[in-house]
């Protein structure tokens, strides 16, 4: 599939408004124009860290504290410093774009200027990095309502830039914006074949970070994991 793709329009107004960041780019060649320094990425890992198995996820889900979702009072994305520098000129977003893409080339400032990205959420493939968002599997606002409101800023920064857990993944930007800060009781990826993996990732992240789940969220996760 090429980088030209019919876009989904969100059917509801998300609780946390996010502004689309780009106009669709038709070809990767336009992005390459005028670029003089290109660095070809290695492809040691072309996906997020593998989450726990469905069986382990079911166990982990049972270990999570079930609690009514907390308030969004006081929440701000600024309280989760993200896209921090990982090495050299590369921030977290560029690291994930390189990791999750194919044949990614970066310029001297580490910006991805060509490559392709397959979005697991909806099955679309994109050839411009501007068509791709880096999704926080457990959204920042959801984390805030699930326990992160009591964390230090340093803890929230680690969570928002976590490359060691299946917390960050490159996906179609409009789909990510449709997801917004919703949990699996409210939203699952349009590509149903990814639901099992999505639930495994979600539970793995929440368990690692000791976040809570509400009853509807837990029920939805149980339903998905029982059918894995």
């Amino acid at each position: 599939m090429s980088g030209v793709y019919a876009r989904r329009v969100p059917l509801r107004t998300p609780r946390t408004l996010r502004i689309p960041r780009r106009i669709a780019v038709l070809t990767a060649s336009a992005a390459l124009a005028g670029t003089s320094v290109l660095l070809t990425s290695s492809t040691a890992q072309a996906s997020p860290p593998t989450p726990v198995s469905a069986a382990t996820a079911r166990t982990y889900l049972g270990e999570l504290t079930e609690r009514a979702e907390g308030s969004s009072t006081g929440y701000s994305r600024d309280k989760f410093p993200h896209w921090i520098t990982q090495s050299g000129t590369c921030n977290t977003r560029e690291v994930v774009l390189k990791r999750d893409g194919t044949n990614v080339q970066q310029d001297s400032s580490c910006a991805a200027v060509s490559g392709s990205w397959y979005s697991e959420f909806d099955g679309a493939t994109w050839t411009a990095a501007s068509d791709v968002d880096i999704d926080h599997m457990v959204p920042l606002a959801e984390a805030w309502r699930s326990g992160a409101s009591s964390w230090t800023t340093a803890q929230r920064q680690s969570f928002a830039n976590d490359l060691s857990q299946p917390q960050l993944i490159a996906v179609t930007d409009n789909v990510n914006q449709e997801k917004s800060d919703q949990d699996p009781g409210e939203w699952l990826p349009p590509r149903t074949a990814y639901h099992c993996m999505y639930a495994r990732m979600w539970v793995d992240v929440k368990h690692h970070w000791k976040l809570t789940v509400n009853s509807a969220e837990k029920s939805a996760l149980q339903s998905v994991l029982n059918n894995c």
Side-chain angles (χ1 to χ4, degrees):
M1 186 178 295
S2 70
V4 180
Y5 188 82
R7 315 315 302 276
R8 282 185 175 81
V9 177
L11 298 179
R12 63 191 296 275
T13 301
R15 287 178 292 184
T16 301
L17 179 62
R18 303 184 61 208
I19 306 300
R21 292 195 301 267
R22 55 96 185 115
I23 298 173
V25 178
L26 296 181
T27 64
S29 60
L32 285 169
T35 302
S36 59
V37 181
L38 297 178
L39 304 175
T40 302
S41 78
S42 61
T43 55
Q45 180 179 315
S47 62
T50 303
V52 295
S53 67
T56 300
R58 286 191 288 270
T59 299
Y60 279 9
L61 182 58
E63 294 172 354
L64 293 176
T65 299
E66 183 177 338
R67 182 179 298 158
E69 198 167 77
S71 170
S72 294
T73 301
Y75 168 73
S76 166
R77 287 178 67 83
D78 292 340
K79 293 183 177 180
F80 292 78
H82 54 290
W83 307 166
I84 61 172
T85 299
Q86 293 291 338
S87 64
T89 59
C90 299
N91 65 24
T92 307
R93 172 179 163 82
E94 298 300 344
V95 169
V96 177
L97 284 173
K98 177 178 176 180
R99 181 197 71 188
D100 290 4
T102 301
N103 298 323
V104 177
Q105 292 184 310
Q106 297 170 301
D107 64 18
S108 58
S109 64
C110 205
V113 293
S114 70
S116 65
W117 292 268
Y118 176 76
S119 170
E120 294 284 5
F121 283 9
D122 59 338
T125 297
W126 302 99
T127 56
S130 56
D131 287 321
V132 177
D133 272 359
I134 306 306
D135 175 57
H136 288 96
M137 175 56 54
V138 176
L140 305 183
E142 164 67 21
W144 177 269
R145 297 189 295 267
S146 302
S149 59
S150 65
W151 293 353
T152 64
T153 299
Q155 286 174 307
R156 290 193 287 264
Q157 176 175 292
S158 295
F159 175 81
N161 297 276
D162 189 358
L163 294 168
S164 63
Q165 301 299 315
Q167 164 66 344
L168 300 173
I169 182 172
V171 298
T172 300
D173 61 355
N174 281 9
V175 176
N176 183 49
Q177 291 155 22
E178 180 183 301
K179 171 184 173 179
S180 186
D181 62 349
Q182 299 176 93
D183 67 41
E186 303 163 306
W187 188 93
L188 286 168
R191 180 170 165 254
T192 57
Y194 200 65
H195 286 187
C196 183
M197 179 64 75
Y198 188 87
R200 289 164 55 195
M201 294 167 74
W202 184 282
V203 171
D204 200 358
V205 171
K206 280 219 161 179
H207 187 270
H208 177 81
W209 286 95
K210 297 179 172 59
L211 295 168
T212 63
V213 290
N214 63 54
S215 59
E217 173 189 357
K218 183 174 183 179
S219 177
L221 288 165
Q222 285 176 327
S223 178
V224 173
L225 291 171
N226 286 342
N227 288 287
C228 288

